[in-house]
Amino acid sequence: MIKAKKIVVLFLLVLLIIFLTPKPIEKKKLTFSGHGVNIHFTGNPKDIGLIKVADFKYVRMDLIWSNIERRKKVYDFQNTGYDQLTQSLTNKGITPYYILDYSNKLYEQKNSIVTEKGRKAYCEFVAKATNRYKNNGIIWEIWNEPNIKYWETQPNYDDYVLLVERASKIIKKNDPSGFVVAPALAGVNWKSIWMKEVFKRGILNYIDGFSVHPYRETIPETVVQDYKALKKLIAEFTRKKIPIISGEWGYSTAKGWRGLNLTDDLQAAYAVRMFLINQYQRVPISIWYDWKNDGLDPNDGEHNFGLRGHDVTEPKLGYYAVKTVNNILNGFYFYKRLKTGNDNDYLIVFKDSLDRIKVAGWTTRNIHEVILPKNIYGKIITMYGEKIGTINKNDTRVILSSKPIYILPD
């Protein structure tokens, strides 16, 4: 009888231990989860409410090491505004996408990390940040554009990959909910010597996504061939499924930027097409650069990437267009592309978990009429959210232009 009681007690203790043991946080697969925008502020300004209204899922921002650690071993996340920024974003259901950058003069002479002392200090900073903000599904990016001026000097293959190896292990240990991405590559040229060299050194073994910045002076659709070549190159170096992340990409309305003179209207169209083409290419995260204009000079490229003016109360057309695509496609995912017989036409079908469909359509050439399949009908919405007509089952003709439209079921 006593023996039986001991067995029962032991069994109950085992159950209690199992019940009280915290379950490990399950890391979700990095699949499509929405669009984001780059910012240049901390704290909780009115911008965050406007970003939420525009239905952005991610906000990308520098977590600047030298601002946070101004004295050795003293880390100030509160007075630098990062605590408030993180809380305000997560409270509104927006996921932070934090760039762990750059160097720190307390440990390194140049804007790079090339010494063991510097690597150790950087990793301590990474440990503090990831431990402080863990369990929020944060995207953690290791540096920004190390293949150009933001890492001194070039080439830097060994030092950078070693940094990624060390930092990624800390991130994954401290924040199992997070995702590690790198290198925030300037450009997306698959012929890049820098990219091939870091692949050879095993960078893909340490990351969950390969982030690139596909800036260009050509139309957004030209990125398709770049992605295709990059995916092929990645497959040559690893069997892991490493998604491409579009971590920063925008078009400036500054006069003469990259030889262009984009109007606000054309910038808005390019912003929407960038998001749509990335979904078509199954890019899980797309970040538009920039949230608002960084200055007032109409000739300065950096001053004119924004979806809103330098005064954030002044929206540009891009804000309305991106808000529309985000709202319409919230919960919808790329399903297929319809053929029209013209490779310049894009009719992209999106589907949600209930198998409902929505269609986005545009062309990269001259405006013209196309005939849709009989099962595609409903109201026609402009890229700014205005209803301009209806397609019925007996007449599925629609006009395509460089400005995307949406066909939504009634």
Side-chain angles (χ1 to χ4, degrees):
M1 188 66 161
I2 295 175
K3 186 177 181 180
K5 287 183 177 180
K6 287 183 177 179
I7 292 173
V8 171
V9 171
L10 183 61
F11 178 71
L12 291 174
L13 284 172
V14 171
L15 287 179
L16 185 63
I17 292 170
I18 293 172
F19 179 76
L20 293 177
T21 301
K23 294 182 179 180
I25 297 172
E26 292 186 6
K27 182 171 179 176
K28 296 180 180 179
K29 189 177 179 182
L30 196 58
T31 55
F32 175 75
S33 48
H35 305 149
V37 67
N38 215 105
I39 64 170
H40 294 124
F41 58 80
T42 58
N44 184 22
K46 66 181 68 174
D47 302 63
I48 294 176
L50 294 169
I51 289 170
K52 176 63 178 177
V53 170
D55 212 7
F56 281 112
K57 305 303 182 188
Y58 293 93
V59 159
R60 182 175 183 262
M61 171 61 183
D62 302 271
L63 210 66
I64 301 175
W65 179 20
S66 60
N67 286 352
I68 293 167
E69 187 184 357
R70 294 181 181 272
R71 290 186 294 145
K72 286 187 176 182
K73 309 296 183 182
V74 178
Y75 305 91
D76 187 356
F77 293 92
Q78 183 175 354
N79 293 318
T80 49
Y82 288 109
D83 282 352
Q84 191 176 24
L85 175 63
T86 304
Q87 184 176 10
S88 58
L89 290 174
T90 55
N91 284 349
K92 290 187 179 298
I94 301 170
T95 300
Y97 180 136
Y98 282 151
I99 318 161
L100 298 159
D101 60 11
Y102 291 99
S103 189
N104 192 317
K105 294 292 186 182
L106 295 174
Y107 305 99
E108 294 282 354
Q109 293 183 355
K110 296 182 178 180
N111 188 28
S112 56
I113 298 178
V114 298
T115 67
E116 185 57 31
K117 179 179 72 172
R119 276 187 287 272
K120 183 178 178 181
Y122 177 84
C123 287
E124 288 176 358
F125 155 66
V126 169
K128 293 290 184 181
T130 52
N131 198 44
R132 192 178 189 90
Y133 300 136
K134 63 186 177 183
N135 302 336
N136 288 305
I138 290 175
I139 308 298
W140 299 104
E141 190 165 51
I142 302 172
W143 216 268
N144 178 66
E145 299 186 344
N147 59 317
I148 57 171
K149 64 181 181 180
Y150 297 107
W151 185 294
E152 302 167 334
T153 59
Q154 301 287 337
N156 59 328
Y157 320 125
D158 293 315
D159 287 325
Y160 178 69
V161 174
L162 182 56
L163 190 71
V164 171
E165 178 184 3
R166 297 268 189 92
S168 65
K169 291 176 180 178
I170 294 169
I171 296 168
K172 292 178 180 182
K173 179 183 177 181
N174 285 1
D175 185 14
S177 76
F179 297 92
V180 180
V181 301
L185 187 79
V188 66
N189 180 7
W190 65 272
K191 295 181 180 179
S192 163
I193 295 175
W194 192 94
M195 185 164 59
K196 291 180 180 179
E197 290 298 325
V198 297
F199 281 175
K200 290 177 184 178
R201 286 159 175 77
I203 192 174
L204 298 173
N205 296 324
Y206 313 121
I207 60 178
D208 301 309
F210 190 80
S211 54
V212 297
H213 298 171
Y215 288 101
R216 60 200 54 230
E217 56 274 3
T218 53
I219 58 177
E221 293 76 13
T222 56
V223 81
V224 171
Q225 293 304 313
D226 294 329
Y227 286 153
K228 183 179 178 180
L230 179 53
K231 289 174 184 176
K232 182 179 179 182
L233 185 63
I234 289 173
E236 292 178 10
F237 286 90
T238 183
R239 293 183 179 180
K240 285 174 58 180
K241 295 294 183 182
I242 303 289
I244 297 170
I245 307 298
S246 181
E248 182 183 319
W249 183 5
Y251 287 87
S252 176
T253 54
K255 296 177 181 178
W257 177 78
R258 293 203 175 195
L260 303 176
N261 288 288
L262 299 185
T263 63
D264 280 2
D265 190 44
L266 189 52
Q267 183 199 44
Y270 278 14
V272 172
R273 284 161 54 180
M274 182 209 77
F275 284 128
L276 292 173
I277 211 70
N278 277 346
Q279 285 206 44
Y280 166 48
Q281 290 298 294
R282 301 185 188 277
V283 172
I285 297 173
S286 299
I287 306 294
W288 172 264
Y289 187 91
D290 200 359
W291 164 240
K292 62 184 178 184
N293 285 354
D294 286 339
L296 298 171
D297 184 351
N299 299 308
D300 188 317
E302 190 62 33
H303 285 194
N304 295 277
F305 279 101
L307 296 174
R308 299 185 74 91
H310 185 56
D311 179 348
V312 76
T313 64
E314 300 175 355
K316 294 167 67 177
L317 292 175
Y319 177 79
Y320 296 115
V322 171
K323 176 183 174 184
T324 299
V325 69
N326 287 347
N327 290 166
I328 285 176
L329 295 183
N330 188 13
F332 282 74
Y333 308 91
F334 169 73
Y335 175 55
K336 64 180 179 180
R337 179 183 178 185
L338 300 176
K339 298 294 184 180
T340 67
N342 185 339
D343 289 341
N344 300 310
D345 294 344
Y346 290 82
L347 286 171
I348 309 296
V349 181
F350 297 89
K351 185 181 284 191
D352 69 0
S353 59
L354 300 177
D355 284 340
R356 295 175 297 189
I357 66 170
K358 294 179 179 179
V359 178
W362 74 97
T363 185
T364 60
R365 297 298 184 186
N366 295 330
I367 184 172
H368 62 274
E369 182 180 88
V370 298
I371 299 176
L372 302 176
K374 295 291 184 182
N375 64 328
I376 304 295
Y377 55 89
K379 54 188 176 184
I380 306 172
I381 305 296
T382 70
M383 72 175 182
Y384 296 118
E386 303 158 333
K387 181 180 177 180
I388 55 170
T390 302
I391 299 173
N392 60 59
K393 296 179 181 179
N394 299 319
D395 185 2
T396 59
R397 292 176 297 170
V398 68
I399 300 295
L400 297 185
S401 74
S402 61
K403 302 176 186 179
I405 57 170
Y406 308 99
I407 300 158
L408 311 182
D410 292 318

